[in-house]
Amino acid sequence: MKIIKNFINDEDCDKLSEWIEDRKDLDLFQDANMKGNRLTTRYTTKDIVYPQVAFEIRNKIITHLNLKNFKLAPFKYGMYASIAFKGDDCYLHKDPRHFENHITLHCNLKLNDTDGGDVLIEKDNYEVQKGDIWIYPTSEINHGSNTLLSDKRLIWVYGFCICE
């Protein structure tokens, strides 16, 4: 796993956060199916319009990581928004490989500061702050989160399927 501190600025965090806050009660957001207290746009079949800044950040990630020969993960535009509420946690798990001979790589942006809800990779705990991105092969390593003590945690996830 790699953490890049301050990958995006507060203004971009706030734009993405506002998008989530304005839509969290709509049917775009559904249960994340992680046995926690979290909603996500990952499973929506509705027409969804993400803000332009989300696409700009996706391009920044592709350039920064020098990604080549990849496919976007099979969620709308290869990204999704997530809001977790107090008490949420996520058990250790691996994500699927969406395409044969491709590793699933997630690049998660934390949009607000929280108490708890820290990243778990295998048996290790990592704190990330607002604007940080953590990058890891979700199909290859166990990952989850510990219990969120704050009222909410906002995350924007970018998924890439990287050829082995």
Side-chain angles (χ1 to χ4, degrees):
M1 182 184 74
K2 179 178 184 177
I3 297 173
I4 302 173
K5 301 305 249 176
N6 300 305
F7 188 77
I8 63 171
N9 60 37
D10 283 349
E11 182 181 345
D12 288 344
C13 286
D14 294 345
K15 287 178 185 175
L16 293 177
S17 295
E18 182 178 313
W19 188 93
I20 292 170
E21 291 286 357
D22 289 348
R23 290 161 182 81
K24 71 181 184 295
D25 296 324
L26 303 178
D27 59 358
L28 295 176
F29 281 83
Q30 301 167 357
D31 187 317
N33 297 317
M34 302 306 293
K35 299 181 183 173
N37 191 14
R38 186 179 329 165
L39 300 173
T40 179
T41 61
R42 183 175 184 164
Y43 305 111
T44 190
T45 57
K46 304 284 183 186
D47 192 26
I48 195 165
V49 179
Y50 289 129
Q52 182 61 34
V53 68
F55 295 94
E56 293 166 3
I57 293 167
R58 184 181 70 189
N59 291 339
K60 180 180 178 179
I61 292 167
I62 291 167
T63 299
H64 184 84
L65 297 178
N66 195 27
L67 294 180
K68 309 273 189 228
N69 300 320
F70 68 89
K71 299 177 184 184
L72 294 176
F75 3 99
K76 193 73 165 195
Y77 307 113
M79 64 177 91
Y80 63 89
S82 174
I83 182 169
F85 300 97
K86 189 172 189 169
D88 179 68
D89 60 19
C90 183
Y91 58 91
L92 289 174
H93 67 284
K94 292 181 184 177
D95 290 5
R97 287 185 171 208
H98 300 291
F99 302 100
E100 188 174 335
N101 299 320
H102 286 70
I103 292 169
T104 304
L105 179 78
H106 280 192
C107 302
N108 297 0
L109 282 169
K110 190 168 183 189
L111 304 178
N112 67 319
D113 286 321
T114 61
D115 290 324
D118 297 324
V119 179
L120 298 175
I121 302 292
E122 299 296 343
K123 296 177 183 174
D124 296 321
N125 183 64
Y126 299 89
E127 280 188 48
V128 291
Q129 306 302 321
K130 180 179 180 178
D132 294 352
I133 190 169
W134 65 101
I135 303 162
Y136 57 114
T138 58
S139 61
E140 309 308 302
I141 58 174
N142 284 310
H143 60 281
S145 64
N146 65 15
T147 303
L148 179 62
L149 304 174
S150 297
D151 289 337
K152 63 186 166 197
R153 182 189 66 219
L154 305 172
I155 293 175
W156 206 277
V157 178
Y158 296 87
F160 302 95
C161 300
I162 310 297
C163 193
E164 288 185 289

